[in-house]
Amino acid sequence: MPSTPESKYRTISRIQRALNSVTRRLPTQTVLETTGRVSGQPRRTPLGGRRVGDTFWLVSEFGELSHYVRNIKANPEVRVRIMGRWHTGTAHLLPDDDPRARLRTLPRFNSAAVKAMGSSLLTVRVDLRD
């Protein structure tokens, strides 16, 4: 039976949920904070990406299946913790951007994991305000 993007997402997200509860607490881990689209509560997701000036770039490995992407669609106001410091910003989903090309500009280890595990890559740009 072939693996679908949804089944791959479910399998990998189970593993990530267990790891994320630990990694989001690491002070140097980059974390994206969105507002839960149903609960209205802050939702923190450890991830990889890179700050370039006043912009933070990342690639979602499961695109619109990712909960944080769904949260961004409902409310694009986010916070990003980079090297222990929180920054507010507005997230933009960029379906026309080439996510594989974007990954080549982001940290290698995370980019390799996103390419290996992902199935519906989607570029996200966060315009930082502070």
Side-chain angles (χ1 to χ4, degrees):
M1 181 169 170
S3 176
T4 66
E6 291 83 10
S7 65
K8 188 174 184 180
Y9 168 76
R10 282 192 302 274
T11 301
I12 292 174
S13 67
R14 281 188 205 114
I15 296 165
Q16 287 177 333
R17 257 192 305 273
L19 293 173
N20 288 354
S21 64
V22 173
T23 58
R24 78 172 57 105
R25 291 183 175 95
L26 298 173
T28 58
Q29 173 66 52
T30 301
V31 175
L32 175 70
E33 183 180 85
T34 60
T35 301
R37 64 196 174 281
V38 175
S39 70
Q41 298 299 308
R43 299 295 180 212
R44 293 183 175 175
T45 305
L47 42 73
R50 173 167 283 144
R51 182 177 183 164
V52 179
D54 290 333
T55 304
F56 183 79
W57 293 93
L58 67 118
V59 174
S60 169
E61 60 201 346
F62 292 106
E64 296 197 18
L65 289 176
S66 296
H67 288 281
Y68 70 85
V69 170
R70 293 180 195 178
N71 290 343
I72 288 169
K73 286 178 80 172
N75 180 357
E77 297 307 307
V78 300
R79 293 193 321 151
V80 183
R81 187 180 73 193
I82 305 167
M83 295 304 294
R85 183 168 177 257
W86 286 101
H87 305 271
T88 60
T90 304
H92 304 274
L93 306 177
L94 304 175
D96 294 331
D97 191 67
D98 181 349
R100 292 196 178 276
R102 183 67 57 194
L103 284 170
R104 289 191 289 275
T105 70
L106 301 179
R108 266 189 212 161
F109 180 76
N110 181 74
S111 293
V114 169
K115 282 188 237 179
M117 293 187 283
S119 59
S120 301
L121 305 181
L122 175 65
T123 302
V124 180
R125 182 188 82 226
V126 179
D127 297 331
L128 303 172
R129 291 190 290 276
D130 61 353

